[in-house]
Amino acid sequence: MSSHPNAPRADQVRDQFIRFFVEKAGHTAVPSSAVVPHDDPTLMFANAGMNQFKDVFLGTGSRPFTRAVDTQKCIRAGGKHNDLDDVGVDTYHHTFFEMLGNWSFGDYFKEEAIAWAWELLTSPDWWGLEPKRLHATYFEGDPGEGLEPDLEARDFWLKRLPPEQVHPGNKKDNFWEMGDTGPCGPCSELHYDGTDDLSGGPKVNADDPDVIEIWNLVFIQYNRLQSGDLQPLPAKHVDTGMGFERIVRVLQGKNSNYDTDVFGPLFTAIQTITGARAYTPGGDPAALADPINVAYRVIADHIRTLSFALADGAHCGNEGRSYVLRRILRRAVRYGRQTLGVTEPFFYKLVPAVVDNFAATFPELKQQADAVAAEIKEEEVAFGHTLDRGIALFERAASGLTTGGQIDAQDAFVLYDTHGFPLDLTQLMAAERGLTVDEAGFNQKMDEARAKSRAGASGSDDARQSLLEGVQKGLDAGWFTDTDFTGYGATESPFADNTLHLFVQHDGVYQPATQANAGDAVAVVLKATPFYAEAGGQVGDSGGIMVKHQNAVTRVKIEDTIKIGGVHLHLGRISGGSLTGLDPQDGGVTTALAVDAERRALIQNNHTATHLMNRALRDRVNDQANQKGSLVNDQRLRFDFTHGSTLSDDEIAAIESDVNRDLAADEPVYIDVVAQEQALKINGLRAVFGEKYPPKVRVVSIGVPVADLLADPDNDAWSTRSIEFCGGTHLARTGAAQAFAITSQEAVGRGVRRLTALTGDAAAQAQSAGAQLLGRAQALADVAPDALGAEVEAVTRQLGAVVLPLRVATAVRSALTDAGTRLKKLQKEAGNASQAQVVAAAQAAAAAHSGSGPLVARIADADGKSLRTAMDVIRKQHADTPMMLAAVFGDRKVALLASVPPAGIAQGLKAGDWIKAVAPVVGGGGGGKPDQAMAGGKDPEKVDDALEAARAFAAEHLG
């Protein structure tokens, strides 16, 4: 492949592209948006430069400029655009890449875009590529969509290239769409012919490594609707995207993107860290297919993807984009282990090489380097625990299979479920041996596992499975259809015609039934119900059902409500009467239904407060915080969200203040069902990434009517409001929740925090108890020394016995810490004073001793520990004297300590025997060695008697 005579470095290529459009065509250079589009639930990752301008193309937003240029961080791994399977196999696909791009927002169009692209590529003042090596494509049209050929673009290219270098392209290649919905239009691609004999014309768009696409000029004219229809946009735009890695390859005259200085430093780091042989550059087929070269390409590509994604706030996990990242990481780690022979964690050690190579352009890499490396290491270590066992299982599953054979679905599922092997990793390992995987069977087992999980509230696995099978049987037989939920507007339903189908539990398994007796555990399916079934973090309702059937009334106590598919199951027991003679075909009965309204009200307090806390978190802590999970019941609310550090006391206080302000304002809660496409345009709307929303969505807006949001979706004021997609039940007005208090925070995973909070009377009681206990804790500073220990103990006990607001509990703990420090200081001072008294008493005992015979004395103010100090003081003056000392301390405790020098032992007095003889006098016992022994007792009134016994024993044994 020929190259520019003065091949630029990669960083120079990036700079030249941006400089050309800024200086030559008056574009505004803009920074790359995050590769993780936290504010766009329709995108898994930023996959093109235009993502950050989507609102402009849709006509719902604007910018203070009409021309822009940048380099955009992109990931294509999952969703509509997915290059993961091609990475490592060829020389020009990547999961992470940079997209150099220029845009026109209703300004210039095809003619200028094509002219400037030609100038940058071919002018000797810029990149000077040979025109004979460039091929252009244009959209050939699509009668099925009613789209005409793009002859305008074709004719502009024919002014610069001969006809044999201008090619028509089909919709797949020359009609660009960002996703299943959104801006789109015909495009014109530029391909570079790297063949030696310029024979690349027929290879355009044929995935040939010698003829690669380098630039795509998209002429955005349409918006793809949810219905699939194309709607003309109010203004025409230009969106161009040039693969940075590809143009660097062309300009540096390489046969592979991986042979450029974009990847060279990463390959060096891989070799240094793993000890593998060096990468073999070039596009030779044998070198390309070499397993070690493949491993180099995969690992280098994947460490870029993980580093950029995690630096922009993504995390590895089990759902959505988080699981895609985990799959990518495990794919790289497997190559390191199985192909490069690395037995220890290595992948995280490559992060510094990514930082060194790209942080000058993307400074967030350096800012987040430690956190990124830490998360990758944690994931790598966790996968390493099961990787070897998983490889061994794969080897067993593949043994005996010949080319074309298939890995069994059960083996693939066990690899996934037990050993953490994503399906595509198992498929990759199979493909390396010419095998396939039973994907359909694997998917069936996954569906079965998910169904069991969804039936989770029903008890044991057998119970869950039986309910799942029972519901499916009922749907197939036409006994019932999806339940009509009537509980948004009411919690009761008076006696009315309904249908009832019954499942009765026997031996832990639910079976369809036509009768049930008092005390039976049942699952009831109704045609219509006001009982909310557990979903979206909100627990299911409880309450009661009265059934009139065959002139009898039966009462059913409902303890929980769950949902399988669209069918509500009311779980409970027959509490009065019995049901008989039910017809499984029509199920006709009369029912009166009553949800536990008091419990529902408490749940709604917590659910509406959860929405307010979600908004306050974004305002006060992290505007990129995304919901990762929630639990809303009648006792508390729990909210998991993305954030990398512990919330400070000030942040907790700000969140509480905001929510309590909104409760005090008694704002109305507005709820409307609207078209998803329309709702997504609302500024500030929150949607949970990874959720599949229906065409019609339920919008919950606090304080602003949904109609107002739809009438003015771009209003900046909406970004400070709580606006969410939500299927749960809520308060009519915020004031009903009364009060709000956060009671705990904790980490529940890498980059995920959890807050737990109370509302209503529970919050008010916690606040009251907190104020009382905090006052008592703060008063510890003034408690008298002799009472401080007991008061610290009392406050500590009370702290563990009540639920308090987190900020108050923290303040109480701080006051206890201060009091504990003061108590230790007082105890030390008291100990020092006591020690001095013990020394004085010991010196007095030493001075009083005549120097002959044993020294037997009582030491005032001593205890078991300081009695040794007294012994040491006396021994300095009477080293050859047998001694027994006694002390009384604490709650009627006695300590005895004996010491006998060698001369005394030789005469027949041994300390151990001496102690054993004396200790019983004070109600104790002890012993020790001949030279030293100790004992304890519990009768301080007998200490003087014990000392007399000590003198007598010593006199007898010393002769």
Side-chain angles (χ1 to χ4, degrees), residues 602 635 737-741 743 758-773 798 802-805 808:
L602 294 174
Q635 297 178 328
Q738 302 175 14
F740 173 83
T743 58
L758 305 174
T759 62
D761 289 342
Q765 290 167 9
Q767 290 166 343
S768 175
Q772 181 182 13
L773 186 57
Q798 190 174 354
V802 296
V803 177
L804 303 178
V808 174

Side-chain angles (χ1 to χ4, degrees), residues 761-828:
D761 289 342
Q765 290 167 9
Q767 290 166 343
S768 175
Q772 181 182 13
L773 186 57
L774 180 59
R776 186 176 181 184
Q778 291 172 334
L780 289 171
D782 301 318
V783 172
D786 58 346
L788 183 59
E791 185 66 1
V792 166
E793 187 175 342
V795 172
T796 301
R797 281 199 307 271
Q798 190 174 354
L799 177 62
V802 296
V803 177
L804 303 178
L806 178 59
R807 290 187 302 115
V808 174
T810 301
V812 170
R813 292 188 184 96
S814 177
L816 282 170
T817 299
D818 292 343
T821 301
R822 177 177 169 233
L823 182 61
K824 287 179 180 178
K825 182 179 179 182
L826 290 171
Q827 291 171 336
K828 183 177 180 180

